Amino acid sequence: MKTILITGSTDGIGKLTAIKLVKSGYQILLHGRNIEKLNNTVSEIKKLSKNEKINGFVSDLSDFRSIQKMITDITKEHSEIDILINNAGVFKSNIQQNKDSLDIRFAVNYFAPYMLTNGLIPLLKNSNSPRVINLSSAAQSTVSLEALKGNEKISTQEAYSQSKLALTMWSFYLSQKIDFLNVVAVNPGSLLNTKMVQEAYGQYWSSADKGADILYELAISEKYADSNGKYFDNDKGTFSNAHNDAYNQEKITRLISETNKILNL
């Protein structure tokens, strides 16, 4: 029985993916920022799927101390995680910076999955074939290390694009560094019908199911068992090339070095 953790799974494609996986009989760990919404989602999916193998974990992914607490909570209750889907993301927000004066998009879209994944490595190692799926985007632009550190003001769109490229660069780094992991970065599809997209753009191109379907497949299909270090572009429906910087070892090394300093790792 595979155990699958999905961040940002109280709505959007995270919730849809969770429902699909639960209906297939997997044990699902849901994550949400709001405890009431999380509990309601756990209850709703249990009823819908008639599957009781659902746990909920609360964490504000913009708060590094909160992430650390969630890592501790999960580790107390579970000895193994087979699949980690780093789905949670933010574009528009009422809060522009986290408690550490870092842009909220870098904090949630990049630093949070970086921290969470590293903290759960011991549990992933206990799996026979662990997978990490990182939600990137078609929007990727060169990372300013000064913006990463919170020293440079950039636009919302630019911060989002840079955070998604940072995530993709780290995905490729992780795929090379930890030999037992199968790490895939994925653009789930542009302008899917989710709350985040509606708030950001007020329109959508495709159903949110398009994103949930590819996450489901990447998580459990044998077809993707040997996809380590690749980037799946769901706008094209195939593996593709990410931004050029994602293949630049010098830029990746600098990014990881700065990230470890910021997170005190």
Side-chain angles (χ1 to χ4, degrees):
M1 172 54 57
K2 288 190 186 299
T3 301
I4 304 171
L5 169 61
I6 310 170
T7 64
S9 41
T10 55
D11 56 36
I13 64 173
K15 182 178 178 182
L16 289 173
T17 305
I19 291 168
K20 282 172 73 71
L21 288 163
V22 164
K23 282 182 173 177
S24 295
Y26 296 99
Q27 173 161 291
I28 304 301
L29 312 185
L30 298 178
H31 154 263
R33 185 180 53 181
N34 178 295
I35 186 67
E36 192 180 344
K37 190 174 179 183
L38 177 64
N39 289 339
N40 288 341
T41 305
V42 168
S43 299
E44 179 193 340
I45 297 179
K46 277 183 179 178
K47 265 188 211 164
L48 195 66
S49 64
K50 298 181 174 52
N51 180 346
E52 290 292 314
K53 297 189 285 286
I54 306 169
N55 279 13
F57 292 92
V58 70
S59 176
D60 176 355
L61 296 185
S62 72
D63 181 343
F64 299 151
R65 286 151 291 279
S66 179
I67 296 168
Q68 195 56 59
K69 183 181 183 303
M70 183 166 81
I71 292 166
T72 303
D73 291 344
I74 292 171
T75 304
K76 276 180 189 167
E77 291 190 38
H78 298 274
S79 59
E80 181 181 304
I81 287 177
D82 298 284
I83 297 142
L84 168 57
I85 304 177
N86 285 308
N87 164 73
V90 64
F91 186 96
K92 278 193 172 178
S93 174
N94 296 328
I95 304 155
Q96 296 307 307
Q97 291 183 318
N98 75 350
K99 292 175 182 175
D100 298 289
S101 302
L102 300 169
D103 184 284
I104 198 78
R105 284 143 290 263
F106 276 118
V108 174
N109 301 345
Y110 171 58
F111 288 120
Y114 189 106
M115 237 187 116
L116 181 63
T117 306
N118 279 300
L120 294 175
I121 288 293
L123 275 64
L124 288 159
K125 193 173 186 180
N126 288 337
S127 168
N128 289 330
S129 54
R131 299 186 191 185
V132 174
I133 299 158
N134 290 328
L135 266 80
S136 183
S137 168
Q140 299 174 25
S141 58
T142 295
V143 179
S144 157
L145 295 180
E146 289 306 303
L148 184 82
K149 292 186 278 189
N151 297 337
E152 178 190 346
K153 284 254 189 224
I154 54 177
S155 71
T156 296
Q157 176 68 58
E158 193 58 27
Y160 180 81
S161 301
Q162 289 191 26
S163 71
K164 289 299 185 179
L165 177 55
L167 182 77
T168 308
M169 292 166 77
W170 164 64
S171 295
F172 292 172
Y173 169 83
L174 191 65
S175 73
Q176 294 171 348
K177 185 184 177 218
I178 300 183
D179 58 7
F180 60 81
L181 282 182
N182 182 3
V183 185
V184 175
V186 55
N187 161 30
S190 295
L191 294 187
L192 301 181
N193 187 12
T194 64
K195 193 171 91 175
M196 186 175 84
V197 166
Q198 290 285 11
E199 285 175 353
Y201 300 105
Q203 60 171 321
Y204 64 91
W205 289 347
S206 304
S207 155
D209 288 310
K210 177 180 177 178
D213 288 346
I214 189 58
L215 293 189
Y216 178 89
E217 289 296 319
L218 288 171
I220 62 163
S221 173
E222 278 306 306
K223 183 179 167 185
Y224 300 113
D226 297 311
S227 303
N228 188 39
K230 292 184 179 178
Y231 170 73
F232 194 96
D233 185 350
N234 206 29
D235 288 334
K236 297 175 181 173
T238 184
F239 287 106
S240 187
N241 288 327
H243 190 286
N244 286 341
D245 287 3
Y247 307 95
N248 185 315
Q249 290 304 320
E250 189 184 331
K251 286 187 174 181
I252 290 173
T253 300
R254 285 206 301 266
L255 173 70
I256 300 302
S257 173
E258 285 301 332
T259 302
N260 289 337
K261 281 183 204 165
I262 291 164
L263 296 177
N264 295 314
L265 293 176

